[in-house]
Amino acid sequence: MTDRRLWSYKEIAAHIGVQTDTVRTYRKHGMLPAPDLVEEGRPYWFADTIRDWVAARPGNRSRREAKD
């Protein structure tokens, strides 16, 4: 099942356990995927886009555990 809910910086930060400004910095430095939607200048990502990004990030513990 696909999760098409749109997440802002705030939801992404809560999901990965960092401050909102950290997520903004990730985007500024090209470390975050391109937004799925930009509305009134605000970027949004589908929840699945962020979950896929998190799973592919270097050092992701859940990804390493899946290999074991």
Side-chain angles (χ1 to χ4, degrees):
M1 187 158 70
T2 303
D3 190 345
R4 305 288 283 179
R5 289 178 294 160
L6 290 170
W7 285 1
S8 66
Y9 289 122
K10 183 178 177 179
E11 287 83 14
I12 295 169
H15 182 71
I16 62 175
V18 299
Q19 297 294 318
T20 303
D21 284 343
T22 301
V23 180
R24 291 179 195 276
T25 300
Y26 287 171
R27 182 172 182 221
K28 178 181 176 182
H29 293 287
M31 299 166 60
L32 196 64
D36 293 302
L37 173 73
V38 176
E39 189 173 275
E40 297 180 11
R42 295 186 197 119
Y44 296 94
W45 293 261
F46 291 126
D48 279 345
T49 299
I50 297 304
R51 286 190 184 105
D52 290 345
W53 169 73
V54 168
R57 289 174 68 196
N60 181 322
R61 183 172 295 165
S62 63
R63 187 174 64 154
R64 279 199 312 262
E65 290 170 355
K67 289 182 180 180
D68 293 344

